[in-house]
Structures are given as C-alpha cells and as structure tokens.
Amino acid sequence: MSDSPALSVPSLAARDLAVVWHPCTQMHDHETIPMLAIERAEGAWLYAADGRRYLDAVSSWWTNVFGHRHPRIVAGLKDQLDRLDHIMLAGMTHEPAVALAEKLVDRAPSGLTRVFYADNGSSAIEVALKMSFHYWRNQGWPERNRFIALRGGYHGETLGALSVTDVPLYRATYAPLLFEPILATSPDAYQRPAGSTPQQHAASCLADMRRTLEECAARVCAVVLEPLVQCAGGMRMHHADYVAGLRRLCDEFGVHLIADEIAVGFGRTGTLFACEQAAISPDFLCLSKGLTGGTLPLSAVLTTEAVHAAFYASYSTGKAFLHSHSYTGNALACRAALETLAIFDDEPVLARNKVLAEHLRTRLRALEDHPNVADIRQTGMIAAIELVRDRESRAPFPADERRGLRVYLHGLSRGVILRPLGNVVYFMPPYCVDTDDIDLMVDAAIAGIDHAVA
Ligand SMILES: *Cc1c(COP(=O)(O)O)cnc(C)c1O
C-alpha cells in the first residue's frame, strides 16, 4: 500500500484504485480496507508486493483445486501455446476440445454423452436453461417456460442465472429485469425443525417439491439445484437423499434436472462430482470453476443423447441450438482442463483429501461450544461456521455490523485469506494444503471470530 515518497512511484494498489472497478465490491470500502497487490502465487500461497505472503484458504473464489501453478498444468499450457491458441468452435475443432469432451463424458455420471462449451459458470447456466426450454419447445411443449429453483440457491449473475438465484444481496436490485422462478423449500439442514435429522428434513422438502410439481409440472422445463452444498448462499448443506429423491420426482413428473456443480464439482464434496453421492445422473450437468484447475475461464454443460436428439434435424426445421460465445471451447482452457482431469487420474487426490478433511473436522471441534457459533458443518473439503449473536436462539448478527468483514481483516493480519459470506466463515482450500496449513487457517479463523464478536 505504501508509496515511496522519495521516488514517488505509485504502488500497484494505488494505480489499481485509480482505474480498476472490482467485482462484488463496494469500492468505497477501499478507503479503509487494503487492496492486496499480489505479484506471484505458488501452491496454496499468494505473495504480495509488500513482501508478505497469504494462505489462499478460499481457493481464489473456489476455482483453484491443486494450488496455484501446478507444474503439470503449467507445462501443458506452455506446450499448447506453441501449437494452437484459440479458434472459433463453429465449423472446426481441435484436439483439446475433443479429448476433454471424451474425458468428461467418461468421468461424469452415466448417460451424459454430449458436451457444450461456454466460458464461465453463469454462461453454463444460461446454456442449460435455454437448452431445457428449447428442448420442450422442439418436442411440441412451448407452454413449458417456468423453472423451479431452491430458496437460498445461487447460479450466477447474468440475468438468466440471476433469475434462478435466491440470494437477495445479488438479486433484489435487479428483480425488475428478471424472470420469476417457482421457489421451492431449501433442504438446508441448518434450517431443519428442532428435533429432526437432516435426512428427515430432506424427506419433508421432497414432499413440498412433490406438491409443487403436482401443481405446475406441465408448465415447468427443469428444476435447478446445487447438489449437496448451496455455496454462495452461505455454504448451506443438505443430505444426499434430497438429490436422489429430486431425481426420482423429476422423472416421475417428466421435467429436467439441472445439476449446477460449478462450485461443488472436481472433488470439493469428497467425490469427483457431488451427484455421485446420490448415485444419480442429471439431465444437465454444469461445470466451471475447478474445471481448469483455476487457471483459465471455461465451462461445460453435459447433457443426454435424448436432449441432443431433440435438436438434431434438418436446418429448415429451426430446431438448432444457435447459442455461442466467442471463446467457446478455447484451446488453452480445454488443455488446462485435460491436465486437471489427468491429475485426478494419476494422483491420489480424493484419498488424500479424505485425510485432510478429517483433520479439518477435528480442528473445528474447538469451536463447538463457542457462544457465537450456532453451527459447524462440513461436506468433504468445504467447511463452514455459522456466526450468530446468540447461540441458543440462533439470533443473527445485524448484517450492517459486518462481523464477517472483521474476520477477513483479522485473517489478513495473520497471513490467511478468509472471505466470509456474510456471517458464515468458511474454508474451501486448494487440495495441496497440508495439515500445518489447515492448522494455520483454523487458528486464524478462531482468533478472527473471537476478535469479530467482541
Ligand atoms: C460461481 C458459481 C456460478 C457462476 O459462475 P461464474 O463463473 O462466476 O459466472 C454458478 N453457480 C454456482 C453454484 C457457483 O458457485
């Protein structure tokens, strides 16, 4: 942050604040909150211009899975750059796009045989929503134009993805521009009635979903779900029974299931894909974030042969899916994704994560009786702590007190990047962390929480 008065060369942070408008940020905050100028990253660590280093406990917005600059991905990208950078994906193809599609079909839940590329998570959701709607239209059901979304769900911030998002912080302002989804109860286990289990809560939410479908299935294209963890909505977790039951209901009522694994895919929940834990295949599987190991923007929507077949006809029928993004199937990004999947194949990533997740679980027990902690929850390599004003009543802290922000600032002072979602402090570290790194993260969070609630 400090400029050198002798040379009067403005710091990177000062230059930034003069021209860059940051995402998800009230820029005014930076009158008091430091802008971190990062010069270099290695593994789980970010190295700042001021000589300090920070542990990236949130995987750079959940994108980074193996740590920064994994040698295999770096080597793959350098090699790819020497062959082919980017071409349009209409009328032509390239090895990384084909090989990646083959590999994704091979690794994803069964029945997903067709891969449509886009270049970020929100765009993948737009693709899935449009494809589902268009499928029904092509099949002679143009009156199907509604989507069922879950309360507390998050699917991105372009207008279609934001329409099926139920996080007021992101959605409320733009509501006049959005279409209205049919909102269903969230199976979030934290919100279950006292005395019931997460499994019972899942069953009761499925009963609600059945009533909704009985009423409106004939007008519904698809149900959209973040399987196992509603991430941006506050790391809200549910029982895998809900995912399995929802699949059965979608089949029974003849509507599509869109699984948004943009955040939970690529090992975050303990399995490569979260849907595996419910032993189901969705009709659309949306992937992004960890897909390239956190190096380049890319997304993919996997779908079924049945969906693909509904678009496959002579051009004059007007049935084609004429959606495109300029950087669809970018060769560098596809190559990074191929290396990412190869690392899952060749290294015992998920087995090692199990050990790390257990260590994290054990360390978080220290907060079990904390007067301001109402819930500690974990699914695989995602763990979250619910901060409240009062543990017994679960009364939340007023949002404008920004307790989470205090945890963030305290984390920085200890060299750890935590970025709480409101009053939910969470960990979603890259898989290259060791138990010492986890100890550092947890110690910083505990100290930050004590500081923030004081
Ligand atoms: C991040 C996220 C998105 C949006 O992805 P972007 O690349 O940020 O547009 C969609 N769904 C979920 C579950 C996400 O976590």
Side-chain angles (χ1 to χ4, degrees):
M1 279 295 285
S2 61
D3 294 358
S4 163
L7 299 170
S8 61
V9 177
S11 68
L12 184 57
R15 283 166 51 211
D16 173 284
L17 291 172
V19 288
V20 181
W21 191 340
H22 287 260
C24 203
T25 298
Q26 170 48 268
M27 293 301 295
H28 181 270
D29 277 355
H30 284 294
E31 291 194 5
T32 52
I33 297 173
M35 173 60 64
L36 298 180
I38 305 299
E39 289 183 331
R40 190 168 65 79
E42 184 89 47
W45 293 90
L46 308 180
Y47 294 82
D50 63 5
R52 301 193 60 200
R53 66 172 196 163
Y54 298 90
L55 182 64
D56 185 2
V58 297
S59 293
S60 294
W61 260 346
W62 324 339
T63 59
N64 193 284
V65 285
F66 306 121
H68 295 272
R69 294 174 48 244
H70 188 288
R72 183 152 184 181
I73 300 178
V74 170
L77 281 175
K78 286 182 174 168
D79 175 69
Q80 186 58 44
L81 201 46
D82 283 336
R83 294 166 194 271
L84 175 69
D85 44 10
H86 176 73
I87 53 170
M88 64 179 174
L89 206 65
M92 53 185 81
T93 193
H94 52 74
E95 175 66 24
V98 176
L100 177 59
E102 289 169 345
K103 193 92 191 166
L104 286 171
V105 165
D106 184 47
R107 298 300 302 263
S110 65
L112 298 167
T113 54
R114 298 282 172 171
V115 179
F116 192 97
Y117 290 115
D119 47 23
N120 62 76
S122 302
S123 298
I125 296 294
E126 301 289 343
V127 166
L129 297 173
K130 285 177 68 178
M131 227 181 230
S132 175
F133 167 79
H134 198 161
Y135 167 91
W136 293 112
R137 198 181 168 82
N138 283 352
Q139 296 294 85
W141 297 72
E143 66 280 15
R144 288 196 189 230
N145 61 5
R146 305 292 309 271
F147 290 88
I148 299 179
L150 300 194
R151 293 200 180 277
Y154 177 94
H155 301 287
E157 294 173 47
T158 54
L159 296 179
L162 192 57
S163 293
V164 290
T165 287
D166 181 46
V167 181
L169 184 66
Y170 307 126
R171 191 184 198 278
T173 304
Y174 308 101
L177 301 178
L178 307 176
F179 69 76
E180 283 303 315
I182 299 163
L183 282 177
T185 348
S186 168
D188 170 19
Y190 179 68
Q191 294 175 52
R192 69 188 186 271
S196 76
T197 65
Q199 210 163 1
Q200 286 164 339
H201 186 53
S204 123
C205 292
L206 286 168
D208 285 351
M209 180 64 84
R210 169 177 290 283
R211 282 188 286 276
T212 303
L213 285 165
E214 278 166 355
E215 210 175 294
C216 13
R219 286 177 294 127
V220 169
C221 301
V223 181
V224 53
L225 160 84
E226 291 166 88
L228 300 187
V229 189
Q230 294 183 296
C231 291
M235 299 299 165
R236 314 217 156 266
M237 302 179 182
H238 55 260
H239 198 278
D241 274 8
Y242 183 81
V243 182
L246 186 59
R247 173 71 274 182
R248 284 194 300 273
L249 285 175
C250 288
D251 285 341
E252 184 181 334
F253 287 90
V255 304
H256 288 143
L257 176 61
I258 300 173
D260 177 352
E261 293 219 22
I262 290 163
V264 296
F266 300 98
R268 288 287 172 200
T269 66
T271 42
L272 189 61
F273 299 112
C275 284
E276 292 171 32
Q277 294 184 44
I280 63 121
S281 294
D283 299 285
F284 299 91
L285 176 67
C286 299
L287 303 173
S288 187
K289 291 202 167 99
L291 175 59
T292 60
T295 54
L296 285 164
L298 179 69
S299 61
V301 180
L302 276 66
T303 190
T304 62
E305 216 48 35
V307 169
H308 184 263
F311 291 79
Y312 195 84
S314 131
Y315 186 86
S316 59
T317 60
K319 288 186 170 181
F321 189 61
L322 299 179
H323 179 104
S324 62
H325 298 285
S326 313
Y327 282 94
T328 296
N330 175 266
L332 291 163
C334 287
R335 181 64 185 270
L338 271 171
E339 301 300 340
T340 297
L341 286 167
I343 295 167
F344 276 104
D345 283 344
D346 298 345
E347 296 178 20
V349 179
L350 299 176
R352 186 170 176 273
N353 281 359
K354 233 181 218 151
V355 178
L356 293 171
E358 206 40 52
H359 184 76
L360 180 56
R361 191 184 301 278
T362 307
R363 287 299 324 273
L364 288 177
R365 290 212 186 100
L367 283 166
E368 254 168 15
D369 299 317
H370 195 287
N372 298 101
V373 171
D375 192 35
I376 302 169
R377 47 184 178 260
Q378 186 175 351
T379 303
M381 288 290 273
I382 308 173
I385 301 156
E386 186 91 28
L387 290 189
V388 290
R389 190 165 51 76
D390 174 62
R391 177 188 173 81
E392 289 314 310
S393 67
R394 294 187 162 188
F397 281 115
D400 61 0
E401 290 179 7
R402 304 183 79 185
R403 304 280 173 164
L405 179 62
R406 295 192 211 173
V407 177
Y408 168 76
L409 291 171
H410 195 81
L412 289 188
S413 75
R414 290 179 167 244
V416 180
I417 310 277
L418 300 161
R419 203 173 190 277
L421 293 157
N423 293 323
V424 175
V425 179
Y426 73 90
F427 308 94
M428 213 197 269
Y431 310 155
C432 64
V433 291
D434 59 22
T435 51
D436 288 344
D437 295 331
I438 290 177
D439 291 348
L440 179 66
M441 258 161 43
V442 173
D443 290 342
I446 293 175
I449 288 168
D450 283 334
H451 171 80
V453 300

